[in-house]
Amino acid sequence: MANEKKLKKSPIDRRTLLQGGLAAAFAGPAGALGAQAFSPRAILPGIDFSQFPLCRTASDAPALTGAPRKLKLSWNAGAVCLAAIPAGLDHGFFQKQNLDIELDNFAGSTDQLLEAIATGKTEAGLGMALRWLKPLEQGFDVKIAAGLHGGCMRVLSRVGSGVDKLADLKGKAVAVGDLGGPDKNFFSIQLSKLGVDPTSEVDWRVYPGNVVNVAADKGEVQAFLASDPLADLWLKDGQYKEAASNLDGEYRDKTCCILGLRGSLVRNDPQVARALTQAILDSAMFVSQNPELAAKSFQPYAPKAATLADLERMVRYHTHHHHPVGDVLKRELKGYADDLKTVSVFKSSTDTTKFAERICVDLFAV
């Protein structure tokens, strides 16, 4: 179904919000250069920009002129990790780019979403890299413009289950919502790196995603895969604990959710594509520094059981400060494609460098 929301004016504008970017650029580590696309602007009190390594001043491009451009953006309205979208609406980041955004709460499959973007039923969509990469091999006319954050996937277990870390899944039964899901793929990859065969040494069992914890309660499985907001709300119960997440190890600084744009929009209206991408990245930066405001923006979409404090905790857990573009994004997606080879999702013959080059677009290239 479609959820439409009018863009609201905010006293916090983009020019005020984003100053100070160059100072952060020189403060950041050299290896992070190219990771972000923000510009120098007047520093807003209470926002520390030192955690944002920058190398470009991409935001200095003027906003689109003329009547606001109407665009449809597809998202999963139940995913608190996408809090940057309602926050962007509430705090004027889309409006500042002269965009009139209609939100589409897309409930179909990934293939259906990519087809909807490619054929112009929606101009852009948000999803998980490990869900999108394999379908993108099919040649959908969709370009990945940016990563949004990390921290969407968790392994939970009951206290006393014997599952305290990922390696403990060896020989165990694990509840999943989808055998082809990004979380199952991700943790299968990590198990393989630990020397555990995720196919023969883990018993993956499918349950409806909103009741995977019940399978653990009944003793049918020893662990289950989940994402926020449900994962966080379950963790409030002292019966459960987090055994692993995609913020462990090298993945702490990698994106898991991505922004995809219609290929023809990128080719024919690159300034519009750039404006949309910039608005979302600016909003993600805002969310990282203002989790309490982001929680309020997301609250209308959250489960009734989730308090503002719960939502703020979830927003703080996700890495909204990490939203790569350009070469950094390509490297991260190539890395995921290489990982997917280890669990036979991608063919061993796939040239992952060429694949990442084909599916990505750098809208901020100088």
Side-chain angles (χ1 to χ4, degrees):
M1 74 183 209
N3 290 324
E4 296 187 29
K5 189 173 185 180
K6 288 292 184 180
L7 297 172
K8 301 177 181 178
K9 293 184 179 180
S10 170
I12 304 174
D13 69 17
R14 186 166 157 271
R15 180 169 299 278
T16 301
L17 180 65
L18 296 176
Q19 180 132 17
L22 286 184
F26 293 107
L33 294 181
Q36 313 295 343
F38 298 103
S39 70
R41 307 224 183 243
I43 297 176
L44 181 69
I47 294 185
D48 175 13
F49 282 87
S50 65
Q51 66 175 277
F52 297 101
L54 317 178
C55 80
R56 298 189 181 99
T57 57
S59 292
D60 279 335
L64 301 171
T65 59
R69 289 296 300 266
K70 294 182 179 294
L71 299 175
K72 181 180 286 188
L73 176 63
S74 295
W75 73 317
N76 176 355
V80 66
C81 64
L82 299 181
I85 304 308
L89 291 170
D90 284 349
H91 295 280
F93 292 103
F94 295 105
Q95 185 184 51
K96 189 65 178 179
Q97 293 290 340
N98 201 22
L99 299 174
D100 180 1
I101 299 297
E102 175 190 347
L103 294 185
D104 171 35
N105 184 14
F106 195 88
S109 69
T110 298
D111 283 4
Q112 290 171 327
L113 174 56
L114 293 174
E115 181 180 3
I117 298 171
T119 58
K121 295 176 183 176
T122 184
E123 278 73 39
L126 303 158
M128 301 186 76
L130 285 172
R131 174 79 77 176
W132 281 31
L133 292 184
K134 183 60 179 178
L136 282 173
E137 269 196 314
Q138 301 174 23
F140 287 107
D141 189 19
V142 174
K143 297 296 182 183
I144 307 307
L148 298 180
H149 57 261
C152 290
M153 297 175 278
R154 308 199 201 196
V155 177
L156 304 187
S157 64
R158 285 185 63 87
V159 173
S161 66
V163 176
D164 301 311
K165 57 185 183 300
L166 190 63
D168 293 336
L169 295 185
K170 182 176 180 179
K172 303 295 196 303
V174 182
V176 298
D178 179 0
L179 286 176
D183 48 1
K184 193 260 187 180
N185 282 339
F186 178 82
F187 292 113
S188 292
I189 291 165
Q190 306 320 306
L191 286 165
S192 180
K193 290 180 178 181
L194 292 172
V196 177
D197 187 328
T199 301
S200 64
E201 296 185 297
V202 179
D203 181 10
W204 305 99
R205 300 182 183 180
V206 179
Y207 294 84
N210 60 342
V211 295
V212 286
N213 64 317
V214 176
D217 294 343
K218 293 181 176 180
E220 296 174 6
V221 299
Q222 289 75 56
F224 54 97
L225 307 188
S227 58
D228 297 331
L230 288 178
D232 182 273
L233 294 176
W234 286 331
L235 284 169
K236 286 180 65 179
D237 186 333
Q239 300 180 82
Y240 304 111
K241 61 186 175 183
E242 179 182 293
S245 82
N246 67 324
L247 292 183
D248 294 337
E250 65 181 293
Y251 291 90
R252 171 167 290 280
D253 296 316
K254 291 187 179 181
T255 192
C256 59
C257 284
I258 52 179
L259 168 66
L261 306 176
R262 177 164 46 87
S264 58
L265 178 69
V266 171
R267 292 188 296 273
N268 302 331
D269 261 327
Q271 294 307 313
V272 174
R274 174 176 167 148
L276 176 59
T277 304
Q278 190 66 61
I280 292 174
L281 294 181
D282 290 353
S283 185
M285 189 178 193
F286 174 82
V287 168
S288 177
Q289 295 281 326
N290 297 273
E292 70 287 351
L293 296 178
K296 290 179 181 178
S297 291
F298 186 78
Q299 191 172 32
Y301 305 97
K304 292 182 179 179
T307 66
L308 274 175
D310 292 333
L311 297 174
E312 181 178 342
R313 183 176 60 251
M314 296 176 208
V315 172
R316 290 183 183 279
Y317 178 86
H318 304 137
T319 58
H320 292 282
H321 64 278
H322 181 72
H323 22 76
V325 297
D327 289 341
V328 174
L329 176 63
K330 290 176 187 176
R331 287 199 297 271
E332 290 192 14
L333 295 185
K334 177 191 182 303
Y336 278 134
D338 288 335
D339 283 345
L340 288 170
K341 286 185 177 183
T342 68
V343 290
S344 302
V345 173
F346 269 37
K347 296 178 181 178
S348 60
S349 60
T350 298
D351 186 325
T352 55
T353 299
K354 289 182 178 179
F355 172 73
E357 186 71 33
R358 175 174 65 80
I359 64 173
C360 290
V361 60
D362 187 355
L363 295 166
F364 304 99
V366 177

